[in-house]
């Protein structure tokens, strides 16, 4: 294979304003993680044998199915009922 380079130019780095949302998100997450760590250090956490886990059965009477009125019709386009 032979490659020919016709032009070289450095890509402009994104401006601060373009990066601002990502920076805010990162710093917010970082601060929340720090706060979580501090609170966990100060808290008294007790774990019990046989505690509820993801594999545990739900309590009696709890149904995972969505109520009828929360079911979304995939064929519904969100418009009026009479689609003539």
């Amino acid at each position: 294979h032979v490659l020919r380079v016709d032009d070289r130019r450095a890509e402009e780095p994104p401006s601060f304003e373009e990066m601002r949302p990502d920076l805010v998100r990162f710093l917010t997450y970082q601060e929340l993680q720090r706060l979580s760590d501090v609170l966990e250090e100060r808290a008294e956490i007790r774990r019990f044998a046989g505690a509820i886990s993801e594999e545990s059965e739900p309590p009696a009477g709890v149904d995972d199915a969505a109520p009828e009125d929360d079911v979304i019709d995939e064929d519904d386009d969100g418009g009026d009922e009479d689609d003539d």
Side-chain angles (χ1 to χ4, degrees), residues 4 13 20 23 39 41 43 47-48 55 60 65 70-71 77 84:
R4 182 176 132 185
R20 185 178 179 86
L23 293 170
L39 291 174
E41 287 174 8
R47 292 184 172 84
F48 299 95
E55 293 86 27
D70 287 347
V71 176
D77 62 354
D84 294 331

Side-chain angles (χ1 to χ4, degrees), residues 76-84:
D76 187 12
D77 62 354
D80 293 327
E81 290 297 319
D82 39 323
D83 293 329
D84 294 331

Side-chain angles (χ1 to χ4, degrees), residues 34-49:
R34 187 197 65 77
L35 178 61
S36 174
D37 292 343
V38 168
L39 291 174
E40 191 173 321
E41 287 174 8
R42 293 181 186 171
E44 179 182 331
I45 300 173
R46 294 184 285 164
R47 292 184 172 84
F48 299 95

Side-chain angles (χ1 to χ4, degrees), residues 1 13 17 21-22 24 26 35 42 48 53 62 64 78:
H1 299 292
E17 289 305 317
D22 292 336
V24 169
F26 173 77
L35 178 61
R42 293 181 186 171
F48 299 95
S53 68
V62 175
D64 288 340

Side-chain angles (χ1 to χ4, degrees), residues 9-25:
R9 57 183 162 185
E11 184 176 326
E12 287 287 322
S15 70
F16 176 76
E17 289 305 317
E18 290 173 332
M19 292 300 299
R20 185 178 179 86
D22 292 336
L23 293 170
V24 169
R25 189 177 315 112

